[in-house]
């Protein structure tokens, strides 16, 4: 057992420790210092991973915003994802109005919407 500890303590000192502290430490203290160094590196790696995940989440949230130059279908889908309650209320209102009135309003509104879209593209 002592030979194993001796072999573990004979290797070079961990990064980030003061040279005097390392030289004055007993083999048992050097083991503790190595464990501390490993734990610090694990914590730094975990912190970096957390920061990266947060950055990716922020970027994903930015992507979900409505793009002004996106096609109408993409904008509608993005709106539905961002505002599910408003979409549900609109769906309930459309169901209450009924299919005949929707077809009548759609036949009036669709040419107007297409005309506005053509103006926006030119």
């Amino acid at each position: 057992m002592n030979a194993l500890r001796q072999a573990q303590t004979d290797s070079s000192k961990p990064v980030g420790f003061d040279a005097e502290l390392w030289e004055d430490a007993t083999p048992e203290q050097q083991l503790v210092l190595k464990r501390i160094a490993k734990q610090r590196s694990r914590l730094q790696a975990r912190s970096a991973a957390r920061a990266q995940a947060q950055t990716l989440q922020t970027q994903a949230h930015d992507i979900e915003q409505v793009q002004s130059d996106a096609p109408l279908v993409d904008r509608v889908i993005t709106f539905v994802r961002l505002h599910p309650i408003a979409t549900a209320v609109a769906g309930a209102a459309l169901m209450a109005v009924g299919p005949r009135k929707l077809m009548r309003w759609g036949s009036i509104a669709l040419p107007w919407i297409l005309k506005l879209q053509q103006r926006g593209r030119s």
Side-chain angles (χ1 to χ4, degrees):
M1 183 78 174
N2 279 339
L4 180 60
R5 283 188 181 175
Q6 184 96 17
Q8 289 177 345
T9 58
D10 285 343
S11 62
S12 64
K13 78 172 185 146
V15 178
F17 282 109
D18 187 16
E20 289 180 26
L21 178 66
W22 181 256
E23 296 300 324
D24 293 340
T26 65
E28 289 81 18
Q29 291 171 335
Q30 287 180 353
L31 283 174
V32 171
L33 291 174
K34 283 185 182 183
R35 279 190 249 142
I36 291 171
K38 285 181 185 179
Q39 185 177 17
R40 283 181 182 167
S41 67
R42 281 195 309 267
L43 290 173
Q44 288 173 349
R46 187 167 54 178
S47 176
R50 186 179 300 130
Q52 183 180 13
Q54 188 174 12
T55 301
L56 289 174
Q57 185 178 15
T58 303
Q59 289 174 351
H61 178 45
D62 290 343
I63 291 171
E64 289 181 357
Q65 292 179 353
V66 179
Q67 302 295 324
S68 61
D69 59 344
L72 178 64
V73 175
D74 290 343
R75 286 186 282 170
V76 169
I77 290 171
T78 304
F79 181 85
V80 169
R81 285 184 186 154
L82 293 175
H83 307 288
I85 295 175
T87 304
V89 169
L94 291 175
M95 289 174 61
V97 168
R100 285 188 184 179
K101 285 186 182 179
L102 287 178
M103 292 298 290
R104 193 172 352 145
W105 291 349
S107 64
I108 294 168
L110 187 61
W112 182 67
I113 292 170
L114 293 175
K115 190 175 186 180
L116 286 175
Q117 272 191 332
Q118 287 177 352
R119 281 187 194 171
R121 289 183 183 165
S122 52

